[in-house]
Amino acid sequence: EMFSSPFIMAIRTASVQEQMFLRAIIAEFRRLGLEEATFQQVYQQHISLCRIEGLQPPTMSETMAVCLRLGASRLLLTESSKNDLHMRVRLNVSQDDIMYALKEE
């Protein structure tokens, strides 16, 4: 625990929806075979994961707020576009670090 990076600690203390969004990013990256996706692509994954987990899926604007909070904490890199749906989203931490931080204790 004491050797965990600030990013790992931030992931562990993130809200359920923020953690779910990070999982959705990884799922979408694996689906695409890329390290970047649009907000719309990640949002669709996020909704699917929420349903699988039995959680109430958030609205698109609530999910955008989650995305922007993760970007503000520097866990994500976001590139704005004229249309928020096409905003490009990338991770600023490794997928392995995210999976490690999210694994059950």
Side-chain angles (χ1 to χ4, degrees), residues 87-101:
M87 176 176 70
R88 294 201 301 229
V89 178
R90 295 184 3 228
L91 293 172
N92 197 31
V93 292
S94 76
Q95 291 184 27
D96 289 341
D97 282 353
I98 291 171
M99 296 312 291
Y100 172 77

Side-chain angles (χ1 to χ4, degrees), residues 9-71:
M9 297 309 293
I11 294 165
R12 286 189 175 160
T13 59
S15 74
V16 170
Q17 287 297 330
E18 289 167 343
Q19 290 181 1
M20 192 67 62
F21 194 79
L22 291 170
R23 282 191 176 100
I25 290 171
I26 291 172
E28 188 61 14
F29 284 3
R30 289 179 179 166
R31 186 184 77 80
L32 294 171
L34 300 171
E35 294 285 315
E36 177 179 289
T38 65
F39 172 79
Q40 184 173 25
Q41 291 168 317
V42 177
Y43 176 70
Q44 294 303 322
Q45 280 284 353
H46 187 87
I47 296 303
S48 296
L49 285 175
C50 286
R51 289 185 176 134
I52 290 167
E53 295 289 328
L55 298 171
Q56 175 70 36
T59 65
M60 188 171 286
S61 59
E62 289 168 339
T63 308
M64 178 57 77
V66 165
C67 180
L68 295 175
R69 279 196 307 273
L70 291 169

